[in-house]
Amino acid sequence: MNLGITTFLDKRPKIKKYFPQIITLLFIIFIFGYFTYNAQVNMDNRGIDFGLRFLGEEASFDISFTPFVEYDGTKPYAKAYLVGLVNTLIVAAIGIFFATILGVIIGISRLSSNYLISKISEWYIEIFRNIPLLLQLFFWYFAALRALPLPKEAINFFDIAYLSIKGLYVPRFVWTNGSVFLFSIVAAIVAIFFVFKYTRIQQEKSGRRIPAFLISLGIIIVLPLLTFLIGGVSLTFEHPELKQLSKTIYNYIGGVAIIPELMALAAALSLYTATFIAECVRAGIMGVTKGQKEAAASIGLTPGQILRLVVMPQALRIIIPPTTNQYLNLTKNSSLAAAIAYPDLVLVFAGTAMMQTGRAIEIISITMLTYLSISIAISILMNWYNKKIAIKEK
Amino acid sequence: MSENIIQMEKVSKWFGDFQALKDIDLEVAQKQKIVVCGPSGSGKSTLIRCINRLEEHQQGKIVIDGIELTENTKNIEQIRAEVGMVFQQFNLFPHLSILDNCTLAPIWVKKIPKLKAEELALKQLESVKITDQAKKFPGQLSGGQQQRAALARALCMEPKIMLFDEPTSALDPEMIKEVLDAMVDLAKAGMTMIVVTHEMGFAKEVADEIIFMDEGMIVERANTEDFFANPKNERTKLFLSQIL
Amino acid sequence: MIKIINFLGTPSREKFSLFVPIGIFLFSLGLIDVTLNSLFDVNITSFFPRGLNYFTPLIFGFLGLYYLRIEFSGNKMLDKLNININSNWFNSILTLLIIFVLIQNIPPLLNWLIIDANFVGTTKKDCSDSGACWIFIKIWFPRLMYGLYPNAELWRINTSFIMLITLVVALFYIPIKLKKYLIIFLIFVFPFIMFNLIHGGNFGLVWVETTAWGGLSLTFIISVFALILCFPIGMFLALGRRSSAPVTRYASIGFIEFWRGVPLITVLFMASVMFPMFLPDGVYMDKLFRVIIAITLFEAAYMAEVIRGGLQALPRGQYDAAKSLGMGYWRLHLLVILPQALKLVIPGIANTFLALVKDTPLILVVGLLELVGMIDMAKTNPDWLGFATEGYVFAGILFWIICFNMSRYSQRLEEKYKTDR
């Protein structure tokens, strides 16, 4: 035992307090310095320099799926990054949407009094939770979607959409004066906000309940519709049409192509994450004790009021934090796109762009930073939300 | 029509195969205070929970203030507006303040304007002596305060009958008194009360009649003095000897 | 509508012997209709107009269940059935739909999986088209399990795992006094033994390069190493995060949140492409080792949070008591806090291990071939094209069996330790 040092430190409590921290700090600085030095040496040897200027250079590769963003091979790498990011967000949004709906349904079914339904939900959860996500993804992409027919014999949905092995083709929305339509929706939302405020004040003042929900429904339907009649907004559809591209190859031209990679990824992410969301929902609903419902019933509230005023507020407090965590996991898991060539951020930027420029450190750092920012932003939001609605205790 | 505010005739209830209530006949007049006691599993809680339809009876007839208790939802809601209940586990709504707990039903069921509802609520909170806790949340109150708040919440609907399901059984000993005091005040104010409890001191002070239940049946019913002085049934005597 | 159905009267206990046979008959009629329709293409109700035809099983079944819905019938089985799947019309329709969907889908599935499947044979030609070709799996099985590891040396992998399992099982049964030593052995000594056994090059064992390691055994090698190695790191991070010294605390938080905020794929890319840049010029570290280090650090962050949960769950009184007895920081933690906290987090550790096993397939994107990677290799082999489905179904079933049992086991552990306290 190094008694010398320990007695030395004991006599000087201030140093004892700061000593471990200084050691840790030195250690961290040392590690970082060591890595940086090595990286510098290695890059010098290879004739690469460190810098972000490459982001302005021409990308010279195409991306197969670029809705919402204008992109081709002449655009800079920064644009490619943007396309990748947008694609990641698209698949994450679709995944979150379906995972939530499915998760809520299964979570509630798990609590059903019907034995068959609750058992089937239980099996669904056990099956889809215990198979690795990558494997589920591969199954959908390589097995299930490969079984779809060729475009010539595509599955036809009311002559509007066509599903084939090359993807799901849906009509493209072509707007004239689309911005007016968007404004009308924004205006409708603002109006609804005021409707709710007004009806609440009325209820507090006089006790009367004005059906805010129905009025809001009316507004959100009528107002946008009006823009068609008097706002000069019109909408046409560009339908996908089957064209013969060569002697044996047929495909659909026009419309929007939802590529099989996106479908497989969205399906796998939704089915997998739904299992976790279902468990969150179940915990939330079970977390509201029977006594709460009984007390609410005993003071005369109707079942609808009990659900809205007593059960849901408590259940949501239990459900929302872990569910948001699952949304975050889903967004991170969307990076599995790299394994099936869906052009998300990882594949486009940390894959293709990195292979072309060889700038591993910059690109991987930027990619990791992007995901890190998303995680931290969601964390901060979650903490704020938790503080705001926390049930106060002693 | 008799002046009985609660009328139960030949009421039976089963939980699956187990019969919890066997042919219960019960009349309660207005302003009467009744204490129901008995060993656990005797059906006391089930009895009063049938009165506000938290449990459904399979046989017999229950009439509350002239309204018959059936599957008819409108009847059930009417009856629940006239019958208030205090639970063993308080069951305050943790996400609402005490004041909001009390005004919730008056606003949403009786459609009273918010300010008026708050006035009435504060009056009730005053009568149970916790006005200063009005803005606090249930988690911040002690057990005794929570139960008194639960009492105020039930009273805010201005019920004609108050049911108590072992209101002090979940409380620490030093808090039982404050809740019982509130219940005594309520009794003195003339409320019709049915109280399921083991607190025999309270029974002696407040109850007009005591009912002893065992195995789903009303074994003995007498006015308070007679009940304690001359229990007629063997089982009653045994029970009293165990708890007194 | 109800009046029409009720021409026989409402189903009730008294008329038991009238309603039950009719109910059973109608219900069975619905089932038979669906079965004949889907399995044998026979339509017994074709004389109905076309639209109604489609719904006849539902109508029969619904009426049948309605007649069977007798409250308190006295027959135990019927009552149980009624409460569970027939309590009201909504439930009965759901029940019927579920049963019909099962009848329509399970037989073809079983058909493909087992009845028409091929189990005997050695080449692709032995596989028929209508069923699953399990011959594919049979032939490739050794590769799927052991990757490209030479056949003659497979005993080394088997031995290491048998040793591991024996040690872990022993952990639960040996007396407490020896447990400490076993844990230290397991964490600090065993990895070396296992590594040397599988890697070779020393002690007279043939050297097997890491690129040959593969298959399910690679999944477990990586999982075991990562779990064992991430444990001490996670412990330090958890303690660091709870420390009052700002440097230690923020360094730990930064480290933990960084690894938890990024997807595993980027971590693997980092390991395979970025790490080499951080090593001194001329030093080369095997890709598998880099990946294991990356996964270890990644899981250490999650493990740190699990352990932190355990540390927080301990009542403050434990800290107070130990401090009042004069114990310093390290003694307090090593002798009092950590032994208790770790017992609390054993289910959490089991969950982390489970998540680790489910994450390992990702290593195929950096070129390491564990089970799913091997299946990719097998299915693109020119002799065996077109069996992707069989491959993934097999992998799915295998992973499911492993993960399901692990999660069941960890649930049991959780129950056990919950009641212990």
Side-chain angles (χ1 to χ4, degrees):
Chain A
M1 275 294 166
N2 206 342
L3 290 170
I5 267 240
T6 45
T7 40
F8 174 78
L9 289 173
D10 280 334
K11 286 213 178 101
R12 295 159 180 76
K14 258 216 168 126
I15 302 184
K16 183 171 183 186
K17 185 172 169 204
Y18 292 115
F19 192 61
Q21 295 188 59
I22 297 178
I23 298 277
T24 321
L25 201 55
L26 287 175
F27 179 70
I28 295 176
I29 294 178
F30 173 71
I31 295 265
F32 272 110
Y34 182 66
F35 284 157
T36 316
Y37 174 73
N38 284 330
Q40 195 65 45
V41 168
N42 282 322
M43 284 200 288
D44 280 342
N45 285 345
R46 272 156 243 219
I48 324 172
D49 63 330
F50 181 87
L52 295 173
R53 260 175 293 115
F54 75 94
L55 286 172
E57 288 166 16
E58 197 180 288
S60 55
F61 63 87
D62 271 331
I63 301 180
S64 63
F65 184 65
T66 61
F68 309 135
V69 182
E70 291 290 318
Y71 178 83
D72 58 63
T74 60
K75 295 284 196 292
Y77 284 109
K79 208 65 185 289
Y81 167 84
L82 191 63
V83 173
L85 184 58
V86 166
N87 284 347
T88 296
L89 293 175
I90 290 179
V91 76
I94 298 180
I96 288 178
F97 179 73
F98 284 111
T100 311
I101 295 181
L102 193 56
V104 167
I105 294 179
I106 296 190
I108 296 181
S109 307
R110 191 76 180 73
L111 296 167
S112 163
S113 54
N114 186 322
Y115 179 78
L116 274 180
I117 293 191
S118 85
K119 259 300 176 225
I120 289 192
S121 320
E122 193 181 325
W123 286 342
Y124 173 90
I125 294 178
E126 286 301 331
I127 291 178
F128 283 91
R129 186 168 59 172
N130 285 316
I131 300 181
L133 181 55
L134 188 65
L135 195 52
Q136 294 188 37
L137 180 61
F138 277 11
F139 177 77
W140 288 113
Y141 186 63
F142 290 116
L145 288 183
R146 288 283 156 92
L148 285 176
L150 290 171
K152 228 170 153 201
E153 291 107 30
I155 304 176
N156 188 325
F157 293 104
F158 309 109
D159 278 342
I160 299 181
Y162 303 94
L163 181 62
S164 76
I165 197 174
K166 292 231 160 76
L168 176 66
Y169 286 82
V170 294
R172 185 196 290 270
F173 284 54
V174 181
W175 292 96
T176 357
N177 285 333
S179 41
V180 177
F181 184 74
L182 273 171
F183 281 135
S184 77
I185 295 197
V186 172
I189 294 179
V190 171
I192 291 177
F193 179 69
F194 280 110
V195 163
F196 272 103
K197 213 165 182 202
Y198 175 73
T199 50
R200 190 155 51 96
I201 295 178
Q202 272 303 305
Q203 183 182 13
E204 288 181 10
K205 268 211 282 208
S206 70
R208 270 192 320 129
R209 275 269 300 159
I210 306 177
F213 183 69
L214 288 171
I215 297 180
S216 311
L217 208 61
I219 294 181
I220 193 89
I221 293 181
V222 167
L223 212 60
L225 236 59
L226 274 179
T227 59
F228 278 95
L229 294 173
I230 58 174
V233 176
S234 70
L235 176 65
T236 54
F237 296 99
E238 183 189 302
H239 287 274
E241 300 209 340
L242 187 57
K243 291 256 164 39
Q244 182 168 17
L245 297 175
S246 77
K247 210 152 130 201
T248 47
I249 303 181
Y250 290 78
N251 203 356
Y252 284 90
I253 308 290
V256 176
I258 300 180
I259 50 178
E261 289 82 7
L262 176 56
M263 289 198 283
L265 193 55
L269 285 173
S270 308
L271 292 172
Y272 182 72
T273 314
T275 63
F276 297 96
I277 295 185
E279 290 290 272
C280 295
V281 168
R282 184 167 79 108
I285 297 183
M286 293 207 310
V288 183
T289 55
K290 191 164 93 136
Q292 289 289 302
K293 290 181 236 171
E294 289 185 348
S298 76
I299 53 174
L301 296 174
T302 66
Q305 290 168 333
I306 297 179
L307 191 66
R308 206 158 32 103
L309 300 170
V310 175
V311 174
M312 286 315 293
Q314 297 186 57
L316 281 177
R317 278 173 170 85
I318 303 179
I319 295 177
I320 290 187
T323 305
T324 321
N325 205 24
Q326 290 307 321
Y327 290 166
L328 201 52
N329 282 343
L330 190 147
T331 311
K332 286 193 287 176
N333 282 335
S334 71
S335 57
L336 259 65
I340 57 165
Y342 171 73
D344 80 320
L345 179 62
V346 173
L347 186 73
V348 163
F349 202 57
T352 322
M354 189 175 72
M355 275 199 294
Q356 281 192 198
T357 63
R359 294 179 174 280
I361 300 184
E362 295 95 321
I363 289 187
I364 296 193
S365 309
I366 296 179
T367 315
M368 283 176 128
L369 266 168
T370 313
Y371 280 103
L372 203 52
S373 317
I374 299 179
S375 300
I376 293 183
I378 305 275
S379 276
I380 294 181
L381 224 73
M382 201 26 44
N383 277 334
W384 172 81
Y385 169 79
N386 273 336
K387 280 214 182 76
K388 193 156 179 280
I389 58 125
I391 291 182
K392 298 188 185 56
E393 300 201 356
K394 264 194 274 224
Chain B
M1 216 40 197
S2 61
E3 21 97 309
N4 285 330
I5 197 167
I6 299 181
Q7 186 100 11
M8 291 172 78
E9 287 167 25
K10 298 228 172 312
V11 174
S12 291
K13 171 165 181 64
W14 285 265
F15 285 108
D17 275 342
F18 171 70
Q19 188 168 11
L21 295 177
K22 300 177 183 158
D23 274 347
I24 302 283
D25 289 310
L26 179 69
E27 298 100 36
V28 179
Q30 278 205 28
K31 296 196 202 275
Q32 258 197 317
K33 338 266 180 241
I34 310 226
V35 163
V36 182
C37 63
S40 64
S42 53
K44 332 186 278 291
S45 289
T46 317
L47 178 68
I48 62 171
R49 285 159 69 94
C50 280
I51 295 180
N52 69 351
R53 199 77 177 171
L54 286 181
E55 303 287 353
E56 294 172 19
H57 60 284
Q58 277 89 36
Q59 272 181 30
K61 194 163 139 182
I62 303 184
V63 181
I64 315 278
D65 200 20
I67 310 170
E68 187 178 343
L69 196 51
T70 59
E71 287 166 1
N72 186 325
T73 8
K74 226 169 186 300
N75 284 357
I76 297 178
E77 284 171 14
Q78 268 183 306
I79 289 176
R80 282 190 180 151
E82 296 192 11
V83 176
M85 188 161 190
V86 172
F87 298 83
Q88 184 177 353
Q89 300 296 337
F90 330 141
N91 287 330
L92 288 171
F93 305 132
H95 59 294
L96 301 172
S97 70
I98 301 295
L99 190 62
D100 287 335
N101 260 275
C102 293
T103 56
L104 185 69
I107 291 179
W108 289 90
V109 178
K110 284 191 172 169
K111 305 204 190 324
I112 299 178
K114 181 165 168 177
L115 281 170
K116 196 146 180 295
E118 287 185 351
E119 252 182 70
L120 296 168
L122 283 169
K123 254 194 258 165
Q124 294 294 354
L125 289 175
E126 205 182 309
S127 70
V128 296
K129 305 196 179 66
I130 49 168
T131 340
D132 50 335
Q133 312 290 339
K135 289 294 186 185
K136 292 214 187 128
F137 284 76
Q140 297 170 301
L141 269 55
S142 72
Q145 291 169 324
Q146 286 188 49
Q147 192 63 301
R148 284 184 282 151
L151 178 55
R153 174 179 68 177
L155 290 174
C156 281
M157 287 295 278
E158 294 174 342
K160 292 192 185 147
I161 306 170
M162 279 297 291
L163 306 172
F164 294 82
D165 190 356
E166 306 214 28
T168 55
S169 299
L171 292 173
D172 292 335
E174 63 269 16
M175 295 196 243
I176 295 183
K177 182 176 186 308
E178 64 195 56
V179 173
L180 289 180
D181 284 344
M183 289 164 67
V184 168
D185 289 340
L186 185 63
K188 290 206 180 104
M191 174 70 73
T192 315
M193 292 164 65
I194 306 186
V195 183
V196 172
T197 184
H198 300 295
E199 297 288 329
M200 289 303 146
F202 170 80
K204 279 192 195 152
E205 185 183 341
V206 157
D208 299 321
E209 291 185 31
I210 313 232
I211 292 180
F212 173 69
M213 280 185 75
D214 194 10
E215 291 182 3
M217 293 183 289
I218 296 183
V219 170
E220 187 161 339
R221 175 178 177 167
N223 53 29
T224 320
E225 292 158 30
D226 292 339
F227 184 83
F228 286 111
N230 293 319
K232 293 206 182 58
N233 194 298
E234 278 310 308
R235 282 188 275 176
T236 323
K237 288 186 199 162
L238 179 63
F239 178 72
L240 283 175
S241 70
Q242 284 169 332
I243 63 164
L244 285 178
Chain C
M1 182 66 167
I2 311 265
K3 291 222 172 92
I4 305 177
I5 307 178
N6 272 339
F7 72 92
L8 283 174
T10 29
S12 64
R13 191 178 188 155
E14 291 84 44
K15 309 220 189 86
F16 188 86
S17 45
L18 171 63
F19 284 109
V20 171
I22 298 183
I24 295 182
F25 171 70
L26 284 174
F27 180 66
S28 319
L29 201 59
L31 287 184
I32 295 175
D33 194 355
V34 170
T35 320
L36 288 177
N37 241 325
S38 59
L39 296 183
F40 301 106
D41 257 341
V42 168
N43 203 339
I44 53 176
T45 55
S46 47
F47 49 86
F48 282 141
R50 189 154 177 268
L52 196 60
N53 192 10
Y54 198 65
F55 287 107
T56 42
L58 200 60
I59 298 178
F60 288 145
F62 182 69
L63 282 175
L65 284 179
Y66 178 72
Y67 282 142
L68 285 172
R69 193 176 313 139
I70 302 176
E71 257 188 75
F72 304 115
S73 66
N75 182 320
K76 271 227 163 82
M77 223 167 65
L78 185 63
D79 276 341
K80 202 154 173 225
L81 229 63
N82 271 331
I83 295 180
N84 277 327
I85 58 178
N86 194 14
S87 54
N88 54 45
W89 65 267
F90 180 67
N91 267 336
S92 67
I93 291 192
L94 283 177
T95 305
L96 287 170
L97 286 175
I98 290 178
I99 297 183
F100 292 162
V101 164
L102 287 176
I103 293 181
Q104 281 192 318
N105 289 311
I106 301 244
L109 196 64
L110 280 178
N111 202 25
W112 182 82
L113 261 179
I114 301 177
I115 303 178
D116 270 349
N118 308 101
F119 293 94
V120 185
T122 46
T123 65
K124 185 174 171 181
K125 279 191 248 90
D126 293 324
C127 281
S128 66
D129 256 339
S130 57
C133 183
W134 297 124
I135 306 175
F136 171 63
I137 302 293
K138 218 176 52 162
I139 301 290
W140 281 89
F141 192 75
R143 299 277 74 82
L144 294 178
M145 290 295 118
Y146 298 106
L148 299 168
Y149 209 83
N151 277 334
E153 311 291 329
L154 288 183
W155 61 272
R156 285 153 57 178
I157 297 190
N158 292 332
T159 322
S160 350
F161 280 109
I162 294 179
M163 269 177 69
L164 177 67
I165 295 178
T166 330
L167 284 174
V168 171
V169 168
L171 200 58
F172 286 107
Y173 288 109
I174 59 167
I176 300 194
K177 276 189 75 176
L178 300 173
K179 255 193 211 195
K180 250 189 306 180
Y181 298 111
L182 191 57
I183 293 183
I184 295 182
F185 178 80
L186 203 57
I187 296 184
F188 292 108
V189 180
F190 181 71
F192 281 114
I193 300 180
M194 185 160 166
F195 174 73
N196 271 308
L197 252 183
I198 302 182
H199 189 232
N202 301 321
F203 305 112
L205 293 169
V206 175
W207 174 63
V208 181
E209 52 174 3
T210 59
T211 44
W213 303 11
L216 193 61
S217 58
L218 183 61
T219 307
F220 279 111
I221 293 173
I222 293 188
S223 306
V224 165
F225 270 101
L227 184 72
I228 293 182
L229 294 175
C230 84
F231 194 70
I233 302 179
M235 211 151 66
F236 275 107
L237 286 171
L239 291 175
R241 186 163 183 166
R242 282 168 61 83
S243 144
S244 43
V247 169
T248 337
R249 193 154 102 235
Y250 289 117
S252 307
I253 295 182
F255 190 88
I256 294 176
E257 290 306 319
F258 170 75
W259 293 101
R260 273 170 34 113
V262 293
L264 183 56
I265 274 199
T266 56
V267 169
L268 291 172
F269 276 12
M270 187 174 84
S272 91
V273 174
M274 233 167 104
F275 269 7
M277 298 283 242
F278 293 145
L279 294 173
D281 191 23
V283 171
Y284 170 74
M285 192 192 275
D286 194 272
K287 178 156 76 173
L288 182 58
F289 300 155
R290 280 181 272 138
V291 164
I292 291 185
I293 292 179
I295 295 186
T296 303
L297 293 173
F298 182 75
E299 291 292 337
Y302 288 90
M303 182 68 85
E305 289 296 280
V306 168
I307 296 180
R308 184 167 80 107
L311 290 173
Q312 275 179 327
L314 274 185
R316 253 201 71 172
Q318 296 292 309
Y319 289 91
D320 291 341
K323 275 195 213 157
S324 69
L325 287 171
M327 294 196 199
Y329 181 85
W330 288 109
R331 271 213 200 106
L332 188 160
H333 278 89
L334 280 172
L335 297 175
V336 175
I337 302 297
L338 283 174
Q340 295 187 57
L342 292 178
K343 205 158 80 142
L344 282 177
V345 302
I346 285 183
I349 295 179
N351 273 335
T352 310
F353 185 60
L354 183 58
L356 188 50
V357 169
K358 284 197 289 179
D359 279 340
T360 45
L362 260 70
I363 62 178
L364 64 84
V365 297
V366 290
L368 291 169
L369 301 172
E370 46 65 69
L371 179 59
V372 183
M374 286 308 296
I375 290 189
D376 266 354
M377 187 171 153
K379 80 167 201 268
T380 48
N381 182 296
D383 285 333
W384 292 97
L385 287 176
F387 293 118
T389 323
E390 280 87 341
Y392 293 131
V393 168
F394 171 71
I397 296 180
L398 199 56
F399 265 114
W400 186 83
I401 295 178
I402 297 172
C403 296
F404 178 70
N405 285 307
M406 279 208 286
S407 86
R408 268 276 187 268
Y409 183 62
S410 100
Q411 274 168 10
R412 264 197 301 137
L413 279 180
E414 212 168 325
E415 292 293 317
K416 174 168 182 269
Y417 285 107
K418 219 191 280 186
T419 52
D420 260 0
R421 279 188 77 84

